Amino acid sequence: MERGGARGFLPPFAHFATQAIHAGQEPEQWRSAAVVPPIFLSTTFKQRAPGQHAGYEYSRSGNPTRNCLEKAVAVLDGAKYCLAYASGLAATLNITHLLKAGDTIICMDDVYGGTNRYFRNVAMKMGLNVVFVDCTKTECLEAAITPETKLVWIETPTNPTLKVIDIQACADVVHKHKDVLLVVDNTFMSAYFQRPLSLGADICMYSATKYMNGHSDVVMGLVSVNCDDLYERLKFLQNSLGAVPSAFDCYMCNRGLKTLQIRMKQHFHNALAVAQFLESDSRVEKVIFPGLPSHPQHELIKRQCTGCPGMVTFYIKGNLKHAATFLKNLKVFALAESLGGYESLAEHPAIMTHSSVPKEDREALGISDTLIRLSVGLEDEEDLLEDLDQALKAAFADHEA
């Protein structure tokens, strides 16, 4: 990392750290002039007269603590509006409710297992059509769009194989067709490394549980938009469906934003060190990390992002036994689902996060028994590398003996 940003990547978004600390947090909005926004646990608010309230009436419809968070995230995303939800999947649900039975969703074929499960096992049963397409190839996306297509859903980088999608190119294809929305799941990148709305997306969404909160202690979703009409429709759904986060969780996520810049820089630093270590190790078949020149879309990610997060995927040599032994012997990395916290995590997508994806689809996507996903945290670099090395030694103890 250079002082101005990561070498070869887009320059950092101007004033990001200042905005993360101050946007939506003005002490003057409180009678007490509190520097840290208070946690408003009240579910209801006194009205001056029937129908005359001071901006809030019921906490599902709006809450001052949630409002502070939504204002801050909107600024960080370069957006006019942000809405917070009880989880990333609650955000997905609300976006999907913009559609009606008979409409078609085009979804990137390699996505978070929960997104895949929701689209296949819930949305399709409610009358929506969902087709899965490799959106890294814009010609495939173009060919899949029909008059019934109303929404295109992409992740970049994808979960778990870290494919990178050209957001601007997808937006150009999608917006040739009237009334089709482009949604980008920005969970892996966070607002610090990527701004999908500036690249042509209509909706930027997150599982804020991951990097945006960054401490593995909040479950939450976020959605940012620029279109006034789209915001009003989503705001109506937020209130009508009721999947909103608690005031306490909003306070926690709001606090997490304050260190987003310094956290993401360190995630990138550590992930690059881990990826380089694994790529040079003879016990590893292949490493997938967009920050490595070996990644097929390395130049693309440098064109549309300011850096890379802490996600590293690799194929260990051998079979499932080798992968399982490696994972069981990790000491600094915890064997656990999720990602984006300060602590390092490791998981086996085929058995854990993506087990709900049909087996034949997993195999086609390369989610095999030897695929391992790492969420590289903020620990000391040398401790992470030593942990990986000793776990690899354990996995191949018989071979080395």
Side-chain angles (χ1 to χ4, degrees):
M1 298 284 288
E2 297 175 327
R3 181 170 175 80
R7 184 184 297 273
F9 285 78
L10 290 177
F13 302 117
H15 314 296
F16 189 94
T18 302
Q19 292 170 339
I21 291 168
H22 294 289
Q25 319 296 298
E26 299 81 5
E28 292 76 17
Q29 65 187 301
W30 318 118
R31 187 176 299 173
S32 64
V35 173
V36 176
I39 306 172
F40 286 87
L41 297 177
S42 182
T43 59
T44 190
F45 302 85
K46 184 178 178 180
Q47 302 190 12
R48 292 184 293 270
Q52 297 180 21
H53 55 78
Y56 301 96
E57 49 188 333
Y58 186 62
S59 267
R60 172 168 40 77
S61 307
N63 176 280
T65 311
R66 189 171 90 216
N67 191 47
C68 289
L69 170 65
E70 292 174 339
K71 284 182 177 179
V73 174
V75 171
L76 297 182
D77 274 332
K80 287 180 69 175
Y81 309 105
C82 176
L83 294 164
Y85 299 90
S87 68
L89 279 170
T92 302
L93 168 74
N94 275 257
I95 293 168
T96 306
H97 268 70
L98 292 167
L99 310 184
K100 65 182 187 305
D103 289 344
T104 295
I105 297 170
I106 295 174
C107 181
M108 174 63 187
D109 57 0
D110 183 31
V111 289
Y112 165 54
T115 302
N116 185 296
R117 180 180 59 231
Y118 170 72
F119 282 152
R120 286 182 185 276
N121 299 334
V122 181
M124 291 179 76
K125 291 182 179 178
M126 299 295 289
L128 292 169
N129 302 311
V130 184
V131 293
F132 294 88
V133 173
D134 182 358
C135 295
T136 62
K137 302 170 183 174
T138 52
E139 65 273 18
C140 295
L141 171 60
E142 178 75 82
I145 295 176
T146 70
E148 288 72 42
T149 303
K150 298 301 177 186
L151 189 146
V152 174
W153 187 286
I154 62 174
E155 289 178 7
T156 180
T158 63
N159 183 1
T161 63
L162 302 181
K163 297 175 186 173
V164 180
I165 300 171
D166 189 329
I167 298 173
Q168 184 68 64
C170 284
D172 291 343
V173 169
V174 168
H175 293 146
K176 286 192 292 185
H177 304 267
K178 187 180 178 183
D179 299 328
V180 182
L181 296 171
L182 176 62
V183 181
V184 176
D185 182 339
N186 206 35
T187 297
F188 270 26
M189 294 304 281
S190 86
Y192 181 68
F193 282 140
Q194 184 168 266
R195 283 184 171 172
L197 297 180
S198 70
L199 297 168
D202 299 293
I203 298 174
C204 170
M205 68 80 61
Y206 302 92
S207 169
T209 311
K210 314 317 194 280
Y211 286 111
M212 294 294 273
N213 178 63
H215 292 74
S216 299
D217 52 11
V218 167
V219 174
M220 186 183 293
L222 297 165
V223 170
S224 293
V225 297
N226 279 321
C227 174
D228 296 343
D229 177 67
L230 193 52
Y231 167 72
E232 293 298 335
R233 291 165 65 196
L234 286 167
K235 178 70 175 172
F236 175 81
L237 288 168
Q238 181 194 46
N239 183 48
S240 299
L241 296 174
V244 294
S246 72
F248 183 77
D249 282 355
C250 290
Y251 164 82
M252 293 286 281
C253 188
N254 192 33
R255 184 174 70 164
L257 295 179
K258 309 303 177 246
T259 59
L260 182 58
Q261 173 173 326
I262 57 174
R263 286 189 287 108
M264 297 312 293
K265 285 183 176 181
Q266 190 62 27
H267 281 300
F268 187 10
H269 173 88
N270 282 353
L272 182 58
V274 164
Q276 290 171 336
F277 168 79
L278 291 171
E279 193 168 51
S280 66
D281 196 292
S282 61
R283 297 162 294 193
V284 173
E285 188 71 43
K286 180 184 178 183
V287 177
I288 308 171
F289 179 64
L292 288 175
S294 59
H295 192 284
Q297 290 112 18
H298 179 63
E299 294 303 318
L300 170 59
I301 204 163
K302 289 196 295 184
R303 289 200 308 272
Q304 73 180 14
C305 305
T306 66
C308 293
M311 303 308 298
V312 178
T313 298
F314 72 98
Y315 292 90
I316 193 170
K317 285 185 177 177
N319 51 38
L320 178 58
K321 180 182 176 183
H322 294 90
T325 303
F326 168 81
L327 290 166
K328 286 188 289 186
N329 279 276
L330 289 167
K331 294 179 172 59
V332 178
F333 284 81
L335 176 57
E337 296 190 5
S338 200
L339 59 108
Y342 53 76
E343 73 292 339
S344 290
L345 303 176
E347 67 108 5
H348 191 279
I351 295 175
M352 297 168 67
T353 54
H354 290 70
S355 61
S356 62
V357 177
K359 189 173 188 293
E360 60 273 18
D361 291 340
R362 289 202 308 268
E363 291 173 351
L365 292 168
I367 305 173
S368 69
D369 286 344
T370 58
L371 182 72
I372 292 169
R373 191 190 76 182
L374 303 178
S375 173
V376 182
L378 307 180
E379 299 91 344
D380 291 310
E381 175 188 324
E382 58 268 30
D383 293 329
L384 295 172
L385 301 187
E386 286 176 11
D387 191 35
L388 293 169
D389 186 45
Q390 65 82 23
L392 284 166
K393 285 179 180 175
F396 292 92
D398 293 341
H399 178 75
E400 293 178 2

